[in-house]
Amino acid sequence: MRYSVLPHFCMLSSRVHLLPTTVQLVRSLISTSSRSFMDLKALLSSLNDFASLSFAESWDNVGLLVEPSPPHTVNTLFLTNDLTEEVMEEALQKKADLILSYHPPVFRPMKRITWKTWKERLVIKALENRVGIYSPHTAYDAAPQGVNSWLAKGLGACTSRPIHPSKAASCLTEGTHRVEFSVSHTQDLGKVISAVKGIAGVSVTSFSVRTEDEDQTRISLNCTQQALMEVVAFLSQNTQLYQKTEIVSLEKPLLLHTGMGRLCTLEESVSLATMVERIKRHLKLSHVRLALGVGRTLESQVKVVALCAGSGSRVLQGAEADLYLTGEMSHHDILDAASQGINVILCEHSNTERGFLSDLRDMLGAHLEKKINIILSETDRDPLHVV
């Protein structure tokens, strides 16, 4: 009988012994073969199902920012708060196929892609190494299970609601406006309905009503903005055909638990000093910056907290609370809040966001049914340090 001995195998006493390097190789091959891959487009669809990009602010730049030439499959999703050049090198070393950067590294339009600036170099390195870049930013701020909800977990037991609720992407019904009017004479009804049905962007319903001992037909039109102009023009030219006109703007419905910032009401009031320690513990910080509201001390009670991850000036402005919690605010906005007796805690911009990524890794792992590897950056950090 002939034996064929493979490299790295030793034949001793009719037994096969694997050297340590071979064991590692075999384990690596088994691990690699058991991994699943996702097509980039399928992954992007799943990410949008997790938190719709429609939640993002209109000024933001979210979604897929850099796309390798298709087809592109993803085995490793790399999470970071900020995509710096150092973080990019880490992502490449860890064989990332897609980088989810909470902050969009590409925000302002680029007129050229050269080696001159660090953001241009990020794009070049991503494309050269076939790595996609995706950013959710304010979509994750607004999402019910997003950054602001994670930040609120550090306050203690509380109920919360968005400071600025998000609206649905579209109205529950077609169009932007509803026009209703009554037609008294049956002989006019056919002419009116025929005319409005001929206008693009109009849906028509009618129903019978009785007012002041007179039978009438009530016409209800759902119109687009453009169609509304044509409907109004028709009605103004045929005033004898109708009466009792109403025009209503159709509002997009508010989304439950979705929106910018959170207004949190604690189940039990605590001292400001206690709240400071809770926040430091949640964010794993040794120091935060505190502005006492006029007439307040560290022993003042906190019942309501308005918070916004990142930069909170615009979102928190006008919110009625005992404490504002955010990453950064302008000097004058802090003075305005303090003058109203509102305490302000600042933790630096990304320190109020980065810790969310650990929760995100777990949530995405479950949402994607562990089809891909999801790893956190180890070099991503806030650029500011207390010295």
Side-chain angles (χ1 to χ4, degrees):
M1 182 178 295
R2 297 178 61 189
Y3 294 91
S4 177
V5 182
L6 297 175
H8 304 298
F9 282 69
C10 296
M11 299 297 296
L12 296 174
S13 304
S14 301
R15 294 181 181 180
V16 179
H17 295 269
L18 276 68
L19 297 178
T21 55
T22 306
V23 173
Q24 293 175 3
L25 177 61
V26 171
R27 286 176 177 169
S28 175
L29 290 172
I30 292 172
S31 174
T32 301
S33 64
S34 64
R35 293 172 185 165
S36 296
F37 294 81
M38 289 188 71
D39 176 74
L40 176 61
K41 290 185 178 180
L43 176 55
L44 294 177
S45 178
S46 292
L47 289 175
N48 196 64
D49 290 340
F50 173 76
S52 174
L53 293 177
S54 66
F55 297 162
E57 296 288 275
S58 59
W59 50 261
D60 207 355
N61 190 35
V62 296
L64 186 63
L65 306 183
V66 176
E67 179 182 10
S69 58
H72 186 65
T73 55
V74 177
N75 172 239
T76 298
L77 175 63
F78 181 89
L79 307 182
T80 184
N81 201 78
D82 293 295
L83 183 55
T84 62
E85 289 190 277
E86 182 183 11
V87 173
M88 173 61 85
E89 289 304 318
E90 179 194 2
L92 296 180
Q93 290 173 9
K94 294 180 177 178
K95 308 298 182 185
D97 303 297
L98 179 66
I99 298 171
L100 188 155
S101 176
Y102 167 73
H103 286 135
V106 180
F107 190 80
R108 296 182 180 87
M110 290 183 173
K111 293 186 177 181
R112 57 184 59 83
I113 305 295
T114 70
W115 205 249
K116 186 175 181 179
T117 68
W118 70 277
K119 290 194 174 184
E120 291 174 62
R121 291 193 292 271
L122 287 178
V123 174
I124 293 171
K125 289 182 179 180
L127 291 174
E128 286 182 339
N129 291 276
R130 293 190 55 75
V131 178
I133 301 175
Y134 175 92
S135 177
H137 200 202
T138 52
Y140 278 12
D141 289 346
Q145 74 282 30
V147 182
N148 284 305
S149 294
W150 166 82
L151 186 57
K153 290 181 181 179
L155 305 179
C158 65
T159 58
S160 69
R161 61 178 177 84
I163 297 173
H164 300 286
S166 297
K167 292 184 178 181
S170 59
C171 297
L172 294 175
T173 56
E174 297 179 13
T176 60
H177 292 79
R178 176 173 296 148
V179 180
E180 289 193 0
F181 55 89
S182 297
V183 177
S184 300
H185 305 294
T186 305
Q187 63 269 25
D188 296 330
L189 185 59
K191 178 181 178 181
V192 171
I193 291 180
S194 177
V196 294
K197 279 187 174 181
I199 299 174
V202 174
S203 60
V204 184
T205 57
S206 62
F207 50 94
S208 298
V209 295
R210 184 172 180 80
T211 58
E212 300 175 354
D213 297 325
E214 181 182 17
D215 290 330
Q216 296 181 334
T217 300
R218 191 75 174 161
I219 307 295
S220 179
L221 313 176
N222 280 5
C223 312
T224 62
Q225 185 72 43
Q226 178 61 37
L228 176 64
M229 300 297 102
E230 296 185 49
V231 169
V232 170
F234 167 76
L235 294 177
S236 64
Q237 295 167 11
N238 296 274
T239 56
Q240 75 282 3
L241 301 180
Y242 67 93
Q243 55 186 303
K244 299 178 181 177
T245 304
E246 295 180 35
I247 301 178
V248 179
S249 176
L250 299 177
E251 291 290 330
K252 297 175 181 177
L254 299 180
L255 298 175
L256 193 64
H257 307 308
T258 306
M260 304 307 295
R262 293 293 183 271
L263 192 65
C264 308
T265 303
L266 301 175
E267 290 185 2
E268 295 184 7
S269 299
V270 297
S271 69
L272 178 59
T274 297
M275 183 55 67
V276 168
E277 293 306 314
R278 286 183 180 180
I279 292 167
K280 288 162 64 175
R281 184 165 58 250
H282 183 57
L283 300 183
K284 298 180 174 60
L285 298 175
S286 57
H287 298 83
V288 296
R289 292 189 287 167
L290 170 65
L292 287 172
V294 172
R296 303 294 187 257
T297 70
L298 286 173
E299 296 309 312
S300 295
Q301 294 297 293
V302 173
K303 178 70 173 180
V304 179
V305 180
L307 62 84
C308 177
S311 181
S313 289
R314 181 182 62 84
V315 173
L316 299 178
Q317 188 173 32
E320 296 183 3
D322 304 308
L323 170 67
Y324 285 175
L325 169 62
T326 187
E328 59 181 333
M329 285 179 67
S330 75
H331 174 78
H332 297 288
D333 288 334
I334 295 170
L335 291 179
D336 285 343
S339 71
Q340 301 171 59
I342 301 172
N343 306 296
V344 178
I345 293 178
L346 304 182
C347 309
E348 306 308 344
H349 189 112
S350 69
N351 288 336
T352 57
E353 304 161 336
R354 184 169 288 102
F356 166 72
L357 295 180
S358 294
D359 281 14
L360 177 64
R361 175 186 55 194
D362 297 337
M363 288 188 289
L364 285 181
H367 180 71
L368 300 174
E369 299 176 338
K370 303 190 183 300
K371 292 179 181 177
I372 59 174
N373 298 324
I374 304 176
I375 57 178
L376 289 180
S377 172
E378 297 177 8
T379 56
D380 174 44
R381 61 180 63 87
D382 195 275
L384 292 173
H385 302 273
V386 177
V387 296

